[in-house]
C-alpha cells in the first residue's frame, strides 16, 4: 500500500482509508499522527519562486487562507471517502455552502432547491442569495414530476440543491433520479450529505456533481469544533477554493480543527454503525409508545420512503423525528423531563441531543413557510449518540411516562 498515492488506495475499505490515506509517517520523522501545521504564511525559496507560485507556475504553499498541509491531508481523505477527485475544507457547513454558491452563481441565474433544508441553508438561499438577483425556486423533490415541471418552468437552471435525509423531518430524496433530471436540464446537482456521511451513501457515485458537508457534525463527531467541506471534480473544487474561499468568504478551516476532523474520521465508520443501531432501537421504542403520535426514521418499515432508503443508504443513520400526543406543549415537557439526553441543537455528537426545530433550528422559516413546506410545529428531533442504548431508552421511557395526562 502506498500511503501517499491517492489513486492506488481506491480499493481499500472506508475505515482503512479514513485512517491511512494520504499520509506516510516516514515523511514526518516517523510521527504516527499527522502533525498540525500552525502557520499563516510560507517562506519563499527566492523572490522569483514567490512570483512563480502566484502565477501558478510552481506548486507549493503561499498563504494559509487557501492552503495548509493539515487541511490538505483532510481534503485528500474526504475526497477518497466520498469518491471525488478533490475536496475543499472550510470553516463551517455554512462556509462551504456559501463559498460554493458565491463561486458558481451570478445575478440573473436560477437555482431550484428542495423545500426542506436546514434552517440557515433555507435562509441563505431564500433571504440571502435572492437579495443579489439570484432567482431561487422551491420544489418538493420527493415529487419528481413537480421537480421536472419546475426545472422546465424556471428557464435555464444552474444548480439543483437538496439534503437527504433532510433536516429536520428526514425525508429521503432519490439522488440518482434527481441528478439525472438536473443533468438533462443542464444544471449541476449539489447534495448536502451531512446526515448520511460517506459511510451511509456517496451522492457523487449516484450522479451528483458536488457534495457539501457540515463537518461540525458526524465527521468531527465530538461536538468540539465547526467545519465544512465541498467534494467533487478537481475543476469545480479548485474554482471554489480560488474564488469562494479565497476572495469572497475567507471561510478558512483552522489547522487545529483540520487535525481534529482527521482524528474524528478514524472512527467515523464504527460510530455510524453504533448511531444507526441505537437509533433503530429507539425509533421502535417511540413507535410503540402510546404518547407518541408520529415517528419518522428511515429504518422503520412505516417510513414513507423505506424502500428508497433501503436502496440508497447502507444504514438508516442516527437521527429521528417524532411528534407526541399533546403537540408542542407535551414535547417541551418531554424535553424538560429528560435527565441524560441533552437539550441542544447540532447533531452527530457522542452525546444524544434533542431539540425543537420550529422554535430552534428551523425558526428561520416563518410559521406560514413551515406550514406550506410541511415542517410540523409539533416535530421534535433526536440525534442519537454513542451512550449505552439501554440508558437512553430508560431516560426516554421515564420522560414519556412522566408526561401529564
Ligand atoms: C444539514 C446541515 N447542513 C449544513 C449545516 C450548517 O453547518 P454549520 O453549522 O457547520 O455551519 C447544518 C447545521 O446544522 C446542517 O444540519
Amino acid at each position: 500500500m502506498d500511503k501517499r498515492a491517492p489513486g492506488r488506495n481506491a480499493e481499500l475499505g472506508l475505515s482503512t482509508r479514513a485512517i491511512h490515506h494520504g499520509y506516510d509517517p516516514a515523511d514526518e520523522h516517523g510521527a504516527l499522527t499527522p502533525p498540525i501545521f500552525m502557520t499563516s504564511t510560507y517562506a519563499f525559496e527566492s523572490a522569483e519562486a514567490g512570483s512563480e507560485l502566484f502565477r501558478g507556475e510552481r506548486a507549493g504553499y503561499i498563504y494559509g487562507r487557501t492552503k495548509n498541509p493539515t487541511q490538505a491531508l483532510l481534503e485528500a481523505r474526504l475526497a477518497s471517502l466520498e469518491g471525488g477527485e478533490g475536496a475543499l475544507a472550510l470553516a463551517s457547513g455554512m462556509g462551504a455552502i456559501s463559498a460554493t454558491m458565491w463561486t458558481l452563481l451570478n445575478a440573473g441565474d436560477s437555482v431550484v432547491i428542495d423545500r426542506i433544508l436546514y434552517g440557515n441553508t433555507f435562509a441563505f438561499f431564500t433571504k440571502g442569495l435572492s437579495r443579489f438577483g439570484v432567482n431561487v425556486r422551491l420544489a418538493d423533490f420527493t415529487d419528481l414530476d413537480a421537480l421536472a415541471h419546475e426545472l422546465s418552468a424556471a428557464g435555464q437552471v444552474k444548480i439543483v440543491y437538496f439534503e437527504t435525509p433532510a433536516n429536520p423531518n428526514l425525508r429521503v430524496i432519490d439522488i440518482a433520479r434527481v441528478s439525472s433530471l438536473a443533468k438533462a436540464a443542464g444544471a449541476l446537482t449539489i447534495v448536502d450529505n451531512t446526515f448520511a456521511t460517506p459511510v451511509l451513501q456517496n451522492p457523487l457515485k449516484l450522479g451528483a456533481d458536488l457534495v457539501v458537508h457540515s463537518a461540525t457534525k458526524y465527521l468531527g463527531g465530538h461536538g468540539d469544533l465547526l467545519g465544512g467541506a465541498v467534494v467533487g471534480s478537481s475543476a469545480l473544487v479548485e474554482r471554489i477554493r480560488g474564488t469562494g474561499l479565497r476572495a469572497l468568504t475567507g471561510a478558512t478551516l483552522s489547522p487545529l480543527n483540520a487535525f481534529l476532523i482527521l482524528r474524528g474520521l478514524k472512527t467515523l465508520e464504527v460510530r455510524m454503525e453504533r448511531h444507526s443501531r441505537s437509533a433503530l432501537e429507539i425509533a421502535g421504542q417511540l413507535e410503540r409508545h402510546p404518547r407518541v403520535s408520529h415517528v419518522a426514521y428511515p429504518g422503520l418499515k412505516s417510513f414513507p420512503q423505506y424502500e428508497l432508503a433501503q436502496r440508497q443508504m447502507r444504514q438508516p443513520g442516527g437521527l429521528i423525528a417524532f411528534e407526541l400526543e399533546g403537540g408542542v406543549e407535551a414535547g417541551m415537557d418531554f424535553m424538560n423531563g429528560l435527565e441524560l439526553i441533552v437539550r441542544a441543537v447540532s447533531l452527530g455528537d457522542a452525546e444524544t441531543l434533542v431539540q425543537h426545530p420550529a422554535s430552534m433550528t428551523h425558526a428561520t422559516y416563518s410559521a406560514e413557510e413551515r406550514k406550506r413546506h410541511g415542517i410540523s410545529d409539533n416535530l421534535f428531533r433526536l440525534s442519537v449518540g454513542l451512550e449505552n442504548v439501554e440508558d437512553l431508552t430508560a431516560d426516554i421511557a421515564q420522560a414519556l411516562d412522566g408526561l401529564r395526562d
Side-chain angles (χ1 to χ4, degrees), residues 194-241:
T194 299
F195 273 30
T197 82
V199 176
L200 308 192
Q201 71 191 12
N202 302 106
L204 298 176
K205 294 185 181 161
L206 297 172
D209 297 286
L210 286 172
V211 162
V212 294
H213 275 284
S214 168
T216 313
K217 312 299 189 304
Y218 290 108
L219 302 184
H222 295 77
D224 52 8
L225 61 90
L226 275 95
V230 191
V231 191
S233 70
S234 298
L236 281 176
V237 164
E238 291 312 315
R239 259 180 76 195
I240 299 164
R241 188 192 305 278

Side-chain angles (χ1 to χ4, degrees), residues 45-68:
E45 221 174 273
S46 65
E48 292 75 17
S51 305
E52 282 165 23
L53 277 162
F54 267 84
R55 287 197 297 272
E57 293 163 3
R58 173 190 278 258
Y61 292 93
I62 299 176
Y63 184 62
R65 193 182 320 107
T66 45
K67 260 193 194 172
N68 168 286

